[in-house]
Amino acid sequence: MSSGIINNKFGQPIGETVHNWKKRQLPPKTNMVGKHCLLEILNTNRHSQQLFNAFSHDKKDVDWTYLPYGPFENRYQFLKWLKEYCTADDPMFHVIIDKNDNAAVGLASYLRINPVEGVIEVGHIHYSPLIQKKRIGTEVMYLMM
């Protein structure tokens, strides 16, 4: 009698068979609204200056440590990077807007989007010092998940 558990090549159980699986939809390009923040699809013309200003609060550039890009010396370099790497459908970058002052204060993205297998990741997370260690960061992850 089969339990429906699937094993990997090492014989380790990795989960149950999902019957009647159907391809998932792509994530919608709509705003996500929370109590403390709004997540919008990145618009380089609208968001770049506020994002650059927000990230500039990190005077020692330590917030870029675990990201494969940045810091950027000036807004032109930052805008160029945003336009070249952050405007595709995958990764799908969202701007974090603080509802207290309606300012762009961070970035996060969906990436490795695979509708066939129903897989999506959240990454490229960059909270400016303006929202670090605050409720807004937790709410961003809640909204995206």
Side-chain angles (χ1 to χ4, degrees):
M1 181 169 123
S2 173
S3 66
I5 300 291
I6 299 172
N7 294 324
N8 66 12
K9 67 181 181 179
F10 304 108
Q12 300 163 319
I14 59 171
E16 295 185 27
T17 301
V18 178
H19 300 285
N20 300 315
W21 173 259
K22 294 181 182 130
K23 178 180 173 181
R24 307 286 76 175
Q25 294 181 341
L26 290 170
K29 292 185 176 184
T30 56
N31 292 347
M32 293 178 263
V33 182
K35 182 177 179 182
H36 306 284
C37 69
L38 168 69
L39 296 175
E40 297 179 356
I41 295 294
L42 172 66
N43 178 307
T44 57
N45 293 327
R46 188 167 69 242
H47 299 123
S48 64
Q49 184 64 57
Q50 286 184 347
L51 284 170
F52 184 77
N53 292 346
F55 294 145
S56 294
H57 285 264
D58 172 19
K59 301 299 182 198
K60 296 182 180 178
D61 292 332
V62 296
D63 295 340
W64 300 96
T65 299
Y66 298 106
L67 296 170
Y69 41 77
F72 300 94
E73 291 185 26
N74 56 55
R75 183 175 173 260
Y76 173 77
Q77 287 180 345
F78 181 64
L79 179 60
K80 183 176 186 234
W81 172 76
L82 286 175
K83 287 182 176 182
E84 289 179 8
Y85 297 101
C86 304
T87 57
D89 290 334
D90 191 351
M92 182 188 293
F93 274 85
H94 290 75
V95 176
I96 304 162
I97 307 292
D98 187 336
K99 288 176 79 175
N100 286 325
D101 58 6
N102 204 35
V105 291
L107 288 171
S109 75
Y110 290 129
L111 66 149
R112 297 187 182 123
I113 303 166
N114 182 339
V116 173
E117 295 179 13
V119 176
I120 192 168
E121 293 182 30
V122 177
H124 297 283
I125 300 164
H126 192 173
Y127 294 166
S128 75
L130 301 172
I131 59 169
Q132 292 172 6
K133 299 180 184 177
K134 295 184 180 174
R135 291 181 202 172
I136 191 171
T138 303
E139 186 173 64
V140 167
M141 291 297 98
Y142 172 79
L143 292 170
M144 291 188 82
M145 291 179 204

